[in-house]
Amino acid sequence: MAKEKKMVEQITSMEEDFAQWYTDVVIKADLIDYTSVKGCMVIKPAGYAIWERIQQELDRRFKETGVENVYLPMFIPESLLQKEKDHVEGFAPEVAWVTYGGLNPLQERLCVRPTSETLFCDFYKNEVESYRDLPKVYNQWCSVVRWEKETRPFLRSREFLWQEGHTVHATAEEAEERTIQMLNVYADFCEQVLAIPVIKGQKSEKEKFAGAEATYTIEALMHDGKALQSGTSHNFGDGFAKAFGIQYTSKDNKLEYVHQTSWGMTTRLIGAIIMVHGDDSGLVLPPRIAPTQVMIVPVMQKKEGVLEKAAELKEKLSEYRVKIDDSDKNPGWKFAEQEMRGIPLRVEIGPRDIEANKALVVRRDTGEKIEVSLDEIDTKVGELLETIQKDMYDKALKHREENTHVAHNWDEFTDIINNKQGFIKAMWCGETECEEAIKEETTATTRCMPFVQENIGDVCVHCGKPAHKMMYFGKAY
Amino acid sequence: MAKEKKMVEQITSMEEDFAQWYTDVVIKADLIDYTSVKGCMVIKPAGYAIWERIQQELDRRFKETGVENVYLPMFIPESLLQKEKDHVEGFAPEVAWVTYGGLNPLQERLCVRPTSETLFCDFYKNEVESYRDLPKVYNQWCSVVRWEKETRPFLRSREFLWQEGHTVHATAEEAEERTIQMLNVYADFCEQVLAIPVIKGQKSEKEKFAGAEATYTIEALMHDGKALQSGTSHNFGDGFAKAFGIQYTSKDNKLEYVHQTSWGMTTRLIGAIIMVHGDDSGLVLPPRIAPTQVMIVPVMQKKEGVLEKAAELKEKLSEYRVKIDDSDKNPGWKFAEQEMRGIPLRVEIGPRDIEANKALVVRRDTGEKIEVSLDEIDTKVGELLETIQKDMYDKALKHREENTHVAHNWDEFTDIINNKQGFIKAMWCGETECEEAIKEETTATTRCMPFVQENIGDVCVHCGKPAHKMMYFGKAY
């Protein structure tokens, strides 16, 4: 038991130092390693397997809505990046520049894509001629680079993995419809697969994407009361189309500009899973995203028949993602290790269990231990995985509800900021100047104007002017 | 029929100009588009879907052998690239260099990975401590950059997609075993899924990978008689381990160097599929790799009941990858388009077919038309897909056999080079100087020393010195 204790002790407790707890978990759960390349990380097998599950689940949902995958270059010529004014202002300060190809300086420098709107526009310009070519609903899975000054694993790194969808449509209505459709795909994925409840809403003018007409977002609340933007979907209107000259001939033979959208989710989601569900024993993975759902741990595995029975059990549970830990570590160490890695269910089986035709099933989320007959263990494990998935969502929702406050005036707002944590719902006048003042005074930012508005007042929480929008505010990652 | 003809006429015939035929097919089959970034392409949905199928099939085979996926940074600091002498000499002249991050010059420039041996070594150095940590069998799917002067879609581009496996082992034997194991995975994949027969063998000293102890390769023969290196697997011995200091403590408590391998396959495989199986009507896809295996084309689709019957048929064929082309193009145009895109089977169904309870099934590879009763069409389609897969492999094998020649002396060698095409089997002394002279005089290079050696002589085909190795020679892509 000494070793087990040692492993757990290597993690700082959440209450003591949440940031350090987070760093400890990503390392101790074997998700990443640091590298010689500042601000870039290695995503190790346990981390990458989570990303593969995210990819599978999202990609299937995308394809059900008609999305097709493509791959565009990782380089953007400087002149192309500069074509849309707001976009270049937003991204140019934080891109990496390639200036040499082999031994020769390049005539025009190339940036490593921070996002691919400009490349997709350059592509669609040649691809779209008539209304018959519309819509195009393309997506790519790739890595992107943003030269951030401060980095944290998964949450903010100089290179990260993501998907970026880029679509072109004949009408403004169709583009808006696709923008909202993909936001809903993201929200459903977060809630149903990651067990993370999200607020759907619209970003303020100040917080929207560089070059977009409207940015929609899903915002989630982390365990420490900070907000995390977990997915965004942008409606570009015809702004990029005009900058790049993407036109089509309509049914009545007129030349029209297309309307565009883009939407993305990133490896940041792994950070969200950690910070919403994790505890002082490490990672806790929702069953639907867990690369391994059940870990069988043989007890006294050198005794005759134990490993054979464990293998039999694995076969019986083969409809789930199941593994056996038959390494030569002691059971206590294995228990702690599987807990650290967040595996939803542990099944212990030893000589006495075998004799009694049962096994001990242990829930990662609650620690609950359940004796289960080997005859019905496959059904029982399925039920437990469903229960854990639901309970984890309910727990996260309860935490968010307990940490969401209404502020009717500035005193209430500052009181919440200073003495509580979490989301603040408040009325806001809609002026960027006022939004900046709130940030300046409290470090809280507008997270979104939720689709579901509530009647909580009619004057701005900060400046007192008439206000028609209820916003979510919060401190954010 | 005018339009159908037009579409076919847009392709140059293979016999007239193979290179132009290739370029025409990649464009007309909608696989790629050119971009504003010289030497980089857009892989369009029809092309990317083939890559996704390749990924799925390879990834499953990798995982069955214990491979785990990871993701390492796309940047390599210059000092890291320089650690292994042969490796830096091989790659430094053709990498892209990042010199600016945002607005600031970097202290040390970073190259965009041309391959990731150095990054994996830097990672393993910290990851491996004891024999208990071995082996590590990791792979990553990513894009890499090599600043090529002349580029061709899929075959040679400045950026391409690939997988790179990198493994570390305790012993030289285990590393050699893994190197050969992965070469066999590649060969089986090419033969069974892509219907491309390959020669397995070892590269010469001159042609081996920069920094490797031994490079193994699979070589395929294209329709025009040129060779294409289709996958490579390298045994590094402990050379990189010594350069990077990757050591482990053995069971008897000694400090030892690890032994390493790497192996890769790329989007170049799509070029191989095109050049082995394509014809003057366009692409021909082997059923096991085709993203769409069956295209249902409704004839007189505006007549009552035709589209409904087509949908019913699609449902009946749902165990295959099946689509309906119900666009408003005329059937002749659709036929030509599906042929261009290489879809293995076309199923035509119109009012008269429905009345007779049958459909017309057309094979892409042979053009054969088969009347099939709707009652047994699901079984029949399955059989036909298997037959096509087998026939395509047999045809490619026959082509290779007919274009493989033995040269016993230099006259025979030059006669084959000047008057025939394909692989040349010949004895070779093993001297790099002689190999270079052969290339100089004929443009033919050593492709590989095949695992299966034949007794065709005992003196070098070029210099006449004693020779113990039979090599495959050929002009190559």
Side-chain angles (χ1 to χ4, degrees):
Chain A
M1 285 317 249
K3 271 195 173 172
E4 177 178 359
K5 221 174 165 192
K6 188 181 148 212
M7 186 152 197
V8 172
E9 276 173 1
Q10 285 167 329
I11 305 200
T12 307
S13 101
M14 297 174 93
E15 301 308 318
E16 193 182 308
D17 182 345
F18 192 79
Q20 189 58 48
W21 168 84
Y22 178 81
T23 309
D24 289 351
V25 171
V26 293
I27 296 294
K28 290 291 164 194
D30 235 7
L31 303 181
I32 71 128
D33 202 355
Y34 298 103
T35 69
S36 307
V37 191
K38 194 172 170 292
C40 295
M41 59 185 177
V42 170
I43 307 182
K44 292 171 72 171
Y48 198 79
I50 299 173
W51 182 239
E52 285 183 301
R53 291 277 313 132
I54 292 175
Q55 286 189 304
Q56 283 163 17
E57 291 283 338
L58 274 179
D59 202 66
R60 183 169 57 74
R61 286 170 167 76
F62 291 167
K63 283 176 178 159
E64 281 168 9
T65 75
V67 172
E68 296 180 291
N69 286 335
V70 296
Y71 188 79
L72 271 64
M74 71 152 82
F75 297 123
I76 307 174
E78 187 164 18
S79 56
L80 203 60
L81 189 69
Q82 288 171 338
K83 279 206 171 177
E84 210 283 339
K85 198 183 113 295
D86 293 334
H87 190 71
V88 65
E89 274 176 23
F91 284 103
E94 59 172 34
V95 295
W97 291 104
V98 174
T99 58
Y100 271 78
L103 306 173
N104 305 311
L106 300 181
Q107 289 194 317
E108 179 182 14
R109 58 183 193 160
L110 305 169
C111 81
V112 182
R113 67 182 156 218
T115 179
S116 303
E117 275 72 14
T118 53
L119 289 164
F120 271 89
C121 285
D122 196 44
F123 167 59
Y124 282 135
K125 188 183 57 176
N126 302 318
E127 195 73 3
V128 173
E129 287 180 14
S130 116
Y131 69 93
R132 282 199 181 84
D133 301 323
L134 295 172
K136 297 271 186 217
V137 185
Y138 292 168
N139 173 64
Q140 81 177 355
W141 292 94
C142 63
S143 75
V144 288
V145 169
R146 296 178 189 176
W147 218 253
E148 307 277 0
K149 289 204 179 63
E150 284 183 43
T151 60
R152 299 193 60 193
F154 296 121
L155 300 177
R156 195 173 295 277
S157 53
R158 286 190 172 171
E159 180 186 6
F160 57 91
L161 302 179
W162 79 346
Q163 59 68 218
E164 47 179 328
H166 294 270
T167 72
V168 282
H169 305 270
T171 65
E173 294 68 35
E174 211 183 293
E176 178 69 6
E177 203 178 295
R178 175 57 72 168
T179 314
I180 299 298
Q181 179 182 23
M182 299 318 290
L183 191 79
N184 285 331
V185 167
Y186 288 165
D188 288 351
F189 169 74
C190 278
E191 301 200 329
Q192 288 164 25
V193 180
L194 306 185
I196 297 177
V198 295
I199 306 288
K200 293 191 268 192
Q202 187 173 353
K203 285 283 181 194
S204 69
E205 279 300 299
K206 176 175 181 292
E207 297 287 336
K208 75 180 188 185
F209 183 83
E213 208 162 75
T215 290
Y216 301 98
T217 179
I218 49 173
E219 299 283 325
L221 195 68
M222 303 298 104
H223 187 83
D224 64 343
K226 282 195 191 163
L228 189 80
Q229 175 180 306
S230 304
T232 48
S233 187
H234 316 289
N235 185 343
F236 289 122
D238 57 8
F240 274 93
K242 284 179 174 161
F244 282 81
I246 315 174
Q247 289 181 293
Y248 72 97
T249 312
S250 70
K251 276 188 186 168
D252 42 2
N253 218 29
K254 281 186 195 153
L255 212 54
E256 308 270 9
Y257 285 104
V258 299
H259 291 73
Q260 292 175 272
T261 83
S262 86
W263 24 275
M265 272 194 159
T266 79
T267 32
R268 169 172 256 217
L269 287 174
I270 300 173
I273 296 169
I274 299 167
M275 292 196 293
V276 168
H277 300 301
D279 64 22
D280 280 344
S281 302
L283 190 61
V284 184
L285 290 171
R288 291 197 191 143
I289 208 67
T292 304
Q293 297 176 305
V294 183
M295 182 63 79
I296 300 170
V297 181
V299 177
M300 303 180 72
Q301 65 186 30
K302 283 175 186 164
K303 285 244 172 169
E304 202 190 321
V306 174
L307 283 177
E308 289 74 4
K309 199 71 184 181
E312 217 177 88
L313 189 54
K314 187 184 169 198
E315 188 54 38
K316 194 167 172 131
L317 297 175
S318 62
E319 64 184 294
Y320 314 107
R321 296 185 288 276
V322 59
K323 281 190 181 167
I324 300 179
D325 182 352
D326 56 5
S327 63
D328 60 3
K329 301 164 191 166
N330 71 53
W333 177 266
K334 289 182 190 178
F335 297 165
E337 195 170 58
Q338 302 317 333
E339 278 170 15
M340 184 68 73
R341 293 176 177 218
I343 311 221
L345 282 180
R346 176 174 88 226
V347 178
E348 302 173 19
I349 186 154
R352 267 177 297 178
D353 303 300
I354 295 168
E355 211 171 299
N357 193 43
K358 63 175 185 57
L360 192 68
V361 180
V362 185
R363 284 176 64 163
R364 172 63 184 91
D365 63 328
T366 60
E368 193 188 347
K369 296 178 178 194
I370 306 138
E371 279 199 352
V372 179
S373 156
L374 291 180
D375 297 333
E376 57 181 23
I377 196 163
D378 46 346
T379 326
K380 189 65 189 174
V381 160
E383 287 166 10
L384 277 169
L385 290 172
E386 279 307 301
T387 305
I388 294 172
Q389 183 78 28
K390 186 178 175 306
D391 288 356
M392 286 179 72
Y393 178 82
D394 290 346
K395 188 180 168 191
L397 183 61
K398 184 159 173 276
H399 177 263
R400 189 185 75 191
E401 282 170 352
E402 287 171 357
N403 289 280
T404 300
H405 314 279
V406 176
H408 299 91
N409 54 53
W410 194 240
D411 278 351
E412 286 181 15
F413 197 102
T414 51
D415 178 55
I416 298 164
I417 288 288
N418 294 329
N419 304 310
K420 293 172 183 168
Q421 57 173 15
F423 281 134
I424 304 175
K425 295 192 277 194
M427 297 304 291
W428 172 57
C429 60
E431 297 296 327
T432 300
E433 208 174 290
C434 190
E435 184 181 5
E436 283 169 347
I438 293 171
K439 185 178 179 184
E440 180 75 19
E441 289 170 44
T442 65
T443 75
T445 49
T446 57
R447 303 317 309 156
C448 68
M449 180 175 71
F451 291 164
V452 181
Q453 288 279 306
E454 294 164 43
N455 187 7
I456 59 167
D458 54 11
V459 295
C460 178
V461 74
H462 185 257
C463 69
K465 286 183 198 158
H468 308 292
K469 294 173 180 171
M470 185 191 85
M471 295 296 283
Y472 272 83
F473 290 84
K475 295 181 185 177
Y477 278 95
Chain B
M1 285 319 246
K3 270 195 176 175
E4 177 179 358
K5 222 173 165 194
K6 188 179 149 216
M7 185 151 199
V8 173
E9 277 172 0
Q10 285 168 331
I11 305 200
T12 307
S13 100
M14 296 173 93
E15 301 307 319
E16 194 182 309
D17 182 344
F18 192 79
Q20 187 59 47
W21 168 84
Y22 178 82
T23 309
D24 289 353
V25 170
V26 293
I27 295 295
K28 290 291 163 194
D30 237 6
L31 301 182
I32 70 125
D33 202 357
Y34 297 103
T35 69
S36 307
V37 191
K38 193 170 170 293
C40 295
M41 61 184 177
V42 170
I43 307 182
K44 293 171 72 172
Y48 198 80
I50 299 173
W51 182 239
E52 284 183 302
R53 291 278 312 132
I54 292 174
Q55 286 188 302
Q56 283 162 18
E57 291 284 338
L58 275 179
D59 202 66
R60 184 169 56 73
R61 285 169 166 76
F62 291 167
K63 284 176 177 159
E64 281 168 9
T65 74
V67 172
E68 297 181 290
N69 286 335
V70 296
Y71 187 80
L72 270 64
M74 72 152 82
F75 298 123
I76 307 175
E78 188 164 19
S79 56
L80 203 60
L81 189 69
Q82 288 171 338
K83 279 205 172 178
E84 210 285 340
K85 199 184 113 292
D86 293 334
H87 190 71
V88 66
E89 274 176 20
F91 284 103
E94 59 171 35
V95 296
W97 291 103
V98 174
T99 58
Y100 271 77
L103 306 172
N104 306 311
L106 300 181
Q107 290 195 316
E108 178 182 13
R109 59 184 193 160
L110 305 170
C111 82
V112 183
R113 67 181 156 218
T115 179
S116 303
E117 275 73 14
T118 53
L119 289 165
F120 271 89
C121 284
D122 196 43
F123 167 59
Y124 283 133
K125 188 183 52 166
N126 301 319
E127 195 72 4
V128 174
E129 286 179 15
S130 118
Y131 69 93
R132 283 200 181 84
D133 301 323
L134 295 171
K136 299 272 185 213
V137 185
Y138 292 169
N139 173 66
Q140 79 177 355
W141 292 94
C142 64
S143 75
V144 287
V145 169
R146 297 179 188 177
W147 218 252
E148 306 276 1
K149 291 205 177 63
E150 283 183 43
T151 61
R152 298 193 61 193
F154 295 120
L155 300 178
R156 195 173 292 278
S157 53
R158 287 191 171 171
E159 180 187 6
F160 57 90
L161 303 180
W162 80 346
Q163 59 67 217
E164 48 179 325
H166 295 269
T167 71
V168 282
H169 305 269
T171 66
E173 294 68 36
E174 210 182 294
E176 178 70 6
E177 203 178 294
R178 174 57 73 167
T179 313
I180 300 297
Q181 179 182 25
M182 298 319 290
L183 191 79
N184 285 332
V185 167
Y186 288 165
D188 288 351
F189 169 75
C190 277
E191 301 199 330
Q192 287 164 25
V193 180
L194 306 185
I196 297 176
V198 294
I199 306 288
K200 293 190 269 192
Q202 186 173 353
K203 286 282 181 194
S204 68
E205 280 300 300
K206 176 175 181 291
E207 298 286 336
K208 75 179 187 186
F209 183 83
E213 207 162 78
T215 289
Y216 301 99
T217 178
I218 49 173
E219 300 282 326
L221 195 68
M222 303 298 104
H223 187 84
D224 65 343
K226 281 196 191 161
L228 189 79
Q229 175 181 306
S230 304
T232 48
S233 187
H234 316 288
N235 185 343
F236 290 122
D238 58 7
F240 274 93
K242 284 179 173 160
F244 283 80
I246 315 174
Q247 288 180 296
Y248 72 96
T249 312
S250 69
K251 277 188 188 169
D252 41 2
N253 218 29
K254 282 188 195 150
L255 212 54
E256 307 269 10
Y257 286 104
V258 299
H259 292 74
Q260 293 176 272
T261 84
S262 85
W263 24 276
M265 273 195 157
T266 79
T267 32
R268 169 172 255 218
L269 287 174
I270 300 174
I273 296 169
I274 299 167
M275 291 197 293
V276 169
H277 300 301
D279 64 22
D280 281 343
S281 302
L283 190 60
V284 184
L285 290 171
R288 291 197 192 142
I289 207 68
T292 303
Q293 297 175 304
V294 182
M295 181 64 79
I296 299 170
V297 181
V299 177
M300 302 181 73
Q301 65 185 31
K302 284 176 185 161
K303 285 245 171 166
E304 203 189 320
V306 173
L307 283 178
E308 288 77 1
K309 200 70 184 179
E312 218 175 87
L313 190 53
K314 185 184 169 199
E315 189 54 36
K316 195 168 171 127
L317 297 175
S318 63
E319 63 184 295
Y320 314 107
R321 295 185 289 276
V322 58
K323 280 190 181 169
I324 300 178
D325 183 353
D326 56 4
S327 63
D328 60 3
K329 301 162 189 168
N330 71 54
W333 178 265
K334 289 182 190 178
F335 297 165
E337 195 169 60
Q338 302 317 332
E339 278 171 14
M340 184 67 72
R341 293 176 177 220
I343 310 217
L345 281 181
R346 176 173 88 225
V347 178
E348 303 173 18
I349 186 154
R352 267 177 295 178
D353 302 298
I354 295 169
E355 211 171 301
N357 192 43
K358 63 176 185 55
L360 192 68
V361 180
V362 185
R363 284 176 64 162
R364 172 62 183 92
D365 62 328
T366 59
E368 191 189 347
K369 296 180 179 191
I370 306 137
E371 278 199 353
V372 178
S373 155
L374 292 181
D375 296 333
E376 57 181 25
I377 195 160
D378 46 347
T379 324
K380 189 66 188 171
V381 159
E383 288 166 11
L384 278 169
L385 291 173
E386 279 306 300
T387 305
I388 294 171
Q389 183 78 29
K390 186 178 176 307
D391 288 356
M392 287 178 72
Y393 178 82
D394 290 346
K395 188 179 167 192
L397 184 61
K398 184 159 173 278
H399 177 263
R400 190 187 74 189
E401 282 170 352
E402 287 171 357
N403 290 279
T404 300
H405 315 279
V406 176
H408 299 91
N409 53 54
W410 193 241
D411 278 351
E412 285 181 17
F413 197 103
T414 51
D415 177 57
I416 297 163
I417 287 289
N418 294 329
N419 303 311
K420 291 173 184 168
Q421 58 173 14
F423 281 133
I424 304 176
K425 295 192 277 195
M427 296 306 289
W428 172 57
C429 60
E431 297 297 327
T432 300
E433 208 173 289
C434 189
E435 184 181 4
E436 282 170 349
I438 294 171
K439 185 178 177 183
E440 180 74 21
E441 289 170 44
T442 64
T443 76
T445 49
T446 56
R447 303 316 308 154
C448 67
M449 180 174 70
F451 291 163
V452 181
Q453 288 279 307
E454 294 164 44
N455 185 6
I456 59 168
D458 54 11
V459 295
C460 177
V461 73
H462 185 256
C463 69
K465 285 185 199 156
H468 308 291
K469 296 174 181 172
M470 185 190 86
M471 295 296 282
Y472 272 83
F473 290 84
K475 297 182 183 176
Y477 278 96

